[in-house]
Amino acid sequence: MTIGFTAEPASLDFTTDDGVAIPEVLLTNVYEGLVELDADGEVRPALAESWDVSDDRRTYTFQLQPDVTFSDGESFTAEDVKFSIERAQEEWTISVADVMDVVDSVTVDSPTEVTVELSQPSNAWLYAMTTRVGAMFSPTGVDNLDTDPVGTGPYEVADWTRGDSITLQRRDDYWGERPAMETVEFRYFDDENALNNAMLTGDLDVISNVAAAESLDQFTGDDRYQVIEGTTNGEVVLALNHDRDVFSDKRVRRAIAHAIDQEALLETVWSGHGELIGSMVPPTDPWYEDLSDVHPHDPERAEELLEEAGVTDLTLDFPVPNLPYAMDTAQVVQSDLAEVGITTEIEPLEFPAVWLEDVFTGHDYDMTVIQHSEGRDMPTFGDPDYYWGYDNEEVQDLLDRADRSGGDERVEHMRHAADILATDVAAVFLYLQPMLVVADSEVEGLPENRVSESFDVTGLSRG
């Protein structure tokens, strides 16, 4: 089965390289964790058969699946759990690994039992173990992660032709239920027309997510194809660099938010597909509230705020990933801001490599547009060193208390933090990326929603 994508990973090592393109291919398919997310976004067993949590919510004891092996033939045991968690603490260089800071110790109780002790209760930790940071590694399989990943999953990487495709090969010795497809090819396209044409000519079986909504017209109503529309947790954000002096004035940030007609933007970019959001919270999170009307479209108010701030002739550097959704969104934002006297200079950057280096790592930007696809990622606004440089002690305290709290108290703290992010215009939260999958009518097992970073191919088959 061959699946079309628009963003190719720069390497295969998600312990040192950010961006969703790597875990999109490898997570669940090649690498597995102790736990994973089900279709509803709930945590369920994976390499761990079960786990117990102490009353103080600091001690997790995992019972592991028996007879699991890595693709290099090594057995998976509790020693590998200890190795993987400690390696994430000590050697991972990407920001998501910070969630492992809360781990005090990992103790091997037996080959199939491991105990993890946290320094304090953390709701984020177990959820994070469903993401790339929870992937299990073999000590003998980490020497060449950028080109030769070694995991416990049902597939291994058989070929990577850079600039073209990654091919996964089904493992005959997989410990669990073997997937139906022997090989799955992830094929990459820089041009959306080429992507659509490959589907129309039969070179693809699936488009993972159409690059533009108008592309659907070619497939809708044709019995050869099925179109699946679902939701994601991918917040498309107009990020503002708070390290820039101009954004230290809240009135400027509010002016930008009021200047953008988000309903018209969503209609233009996605023909109304997707959903407006007002903070860094998708509707699938327990603390979601509709905050999309906190800063309604009001160009006159935007101009008043800029005048109050004494800002005139404002020109902003606007580097943007060279992906269709990002470029289309940026052009609408550029037009709306021009109406209130703000000039933006759009600079397309190769994604992921150049955008990650210049914007995400180098913080060299005024504004940018990007989809944040990691689940429950609002806590990034609690880290002043994150690429948007937002530093709000009240938000940091609320996020910290939410992580240590349980039940309704946690939800209350998260909602309060989300409300501050919206009213303070920590960023302009534009919309939730829709999931618009096109597939051959015989393809079965495609997920209706994307709730994790992985494009899970383990359940795919042909009818």
Side-chain angles (χ1 to χ4, degrees):
M1 189 170 293
T2 304
I3 307 172
F5 294 81
T6 55
E8 180 185 9
S11 85
L12 299 182
D13 182 5
F14 56 53
T15 74
T16 59
D17 289 324
D18 265 300
V20 74
I22 312 174
E24 189 170 50
V25 180
L26 300 183
L27 196 60
T28 304
N29 303 318
V30 174
Y31 291 112
E32 296 174 304
L34 299 180
V35 289
E36 63 183 6
L37 295 179
D38 65 16
D40 297 318
E42 299 297 323
V43 179
R44 69 180 181 187
L47 289 174
E49 282 186 322
S50 62
W51 63 93
D52 296 311
V53 185
S54 62
D55 291 340
D56 64 1
R57 297 192 295 116
R58 290 182 50 209
T59 305
Y60 289 76
T61 303
F62 295 92
Q63 305 297 327
L64 306 182
Q65 301 277 5
D67 304 321
V68 176
T69 61
F70 288 94
S71 58
D72 65 356
E74 294 292 324
S75 296
F76 168 72
T77 71
E79 292 285 355
D80 300 304
V81 179
K82 179 178 174 67
F83 169 78
S84 298
I85 292 176
E86 292 179 348
R87 187 173 184 276
Q89 290 180 302
E90 298 166 3
E91 297 187 37
W92 285 44
T93 60
I94 62 173
S95 58
V96 295
D98 291 348
V99 75
M100 287 298 188
D101 291 347
V102 75
V103 175
D104 250 358
S105 64
V106 185
T107 303
V108 174
D109 304 317
S110 77
T112 57
E113 182 177 290
V114 62
T115 298
V116 179
E117 186 79 22
L118 307 184
S119 60
Q120 64 185 36
S122 173
N123 296 299
W125 182 75
L126 186 64
Y127 186 89
M129 291 296 286
T130 70
T131 71
R132 70 183 91 176
V133 78
M136 293 291 110
F137 293 86
S138 166
T140 62
V142 295
D143 292 338
N144 299 296
L145 291 180
D146 57 336
T147 57
D148 186 21
V150 176
T152 62
Y155 288 98
E156 57 187 329
V157 176
D159 180 70
W160 181 17
T161 303
R162 292 178 184 265
D164 181 69
S165 62
I166 296 173
T167 301
L168 304 183
Q169 175 73 38
R170 185 177 62 196
R171 289 178 54 196
D172 292 332
D173 59 346
Y174 178 57
W175 64 273
E177 182 178 350
R178 295 175 67 208
M181 304 311 301
E182 182 177 350
T183 60
V184 179
E185 181 183 14
F186 288 61
R187 190 174 297 173
Y188 299 97
F189 295 83
D190 292 331
D191 179 76
E192 61 185 282
N193 291 323
L195 174 67
N196 296 332
N197 288 336
M199 188 73 199
L200 290 166
T201 57
D203 289 337
L204 293 178
D205 299 294
V206 181
I207 295 177
S208 62
N209 203 1
V210 298
E214 57 265 24
S215 300
L216 291 177
D217 295 339
Q218 303 170 79
F219 307 105
T220 303
D222 189 325
D223 291 341
R224 295 176 297 169
Y225 308 106
Q226 55 179 311
V227 177
I228 300 173
E229 179 173 359
T231 190
T232 71
N233 52 21
E235 306 99 342
V236 177
V237 178
L238 177 66
L240 310 176
N241 187 349
H242 289 260
D243 290 332
R244 298 290 199 254
D245 289 341
V246 67
F247 292 131
S248 64
D249 192 323
K250 180 179 177 179
R251 291 170 297 187
V252 176
R253 305 196 303 268
R254 289 175 57 202
I256 290 173
H258 280 303
I260 299 171
D261 187 343
Q262 293 180 226
E263 289 188 7
L265 184 153
L266 192 61
E267 186 64 37
T268 300
V269 177
W270 287 108
S271 300
H273 299 285
E275 188 168 351
L276 297 180
I277 53 173
S279 194
M280 198 69 169
V281 187
T284 48
D285 283 355
W287 38 86
Y288 171 77
E289 290 183 305
D290 185 0
L291 300 173
S292 59
D293 61 350
V294 171
H295 292 98
H297 181 227
D298 190 344
E300 291 184 3
R301 181 58 181 148
E303 291 175 336
E304 291 172 359
L305 286 165
L306 291 171
E307 184 177 355
E308 290 173 16
V311 173
T312 58
D313 299 322
L314 179 60
T315 298
L316 298 173
D317 176 32
F318 199 7
V320 177
N322 63 340
L323 300 175
Y325 84 88
M327 292 299 300
D328 291 347
T329 299
Q331 288 163 9
V332 175
V333 169
Q334 181 181 57
S335 176
D336 284 348
L337 294 185
E339 292 292 323
V340 301
I342 298 176
T343 300
T344 56
E345 297 179 347
I346 295 176
E347 178 187 5
L349 297 182
E350 180 189 351
F351 188 87
V354 178
W355 186 91
L356 286 173
E357 180 178 354
D358 291 0
V359 176
F360 188 81
T361 302
H363 302 189
D364 185 14
Y365 76 106
D366 292 330
M367 300 191 315
T368 190
V369 168
I370 191 65
Q371 176 197 174
H372 282 260
S373 56
E374 298 83 2
R376 301 188 180 179
D377 47 8
M378 188 168 63
T380 57
F381 282 98
D383 179 5
D385 295 327
Y386 200 68
Y387 81 101
W388 31 55
Y390 184 70
D391 192 356
N392 185 311
E393 291 184 0
E394 185 179 8
V395 169
Q396 293 163 22
D397 180 61
L398 285 166
L399 293 171
D400 182 61
R401 284 193 283 163
D403 193 32
R404 290 183 279 111
S405 303
D408 293 341
E409 187 178 357
R410 180 194 184 197
V411 170
E412 180 183 347
H413 291 325
M414 293 296 280
R415 284 181 176 169
H416 190 182
D419 184 68
I420 293 174
L421 296 180
T423 56
D424 199 35
V425 196
V428 182
F429 305 96
L430 297 175
Y431 58 88
L432 199 66
Q433 184 89 342
M435 176 174 159
L436 298 171
V437 175
V438 175
D440 185 281
S441 61
E442 294 185 351
V443 174
E444 297 179 351
L446 286 163
E448 293 185 4
N449 299 312
R450 286 283 297 275
V451 295
S452 79
E453 299 172 287
S454 168
F455 193 93
D456 183 357
V457 302
T458 63
L460 297 185
S461 63
R462 296 185 189 278

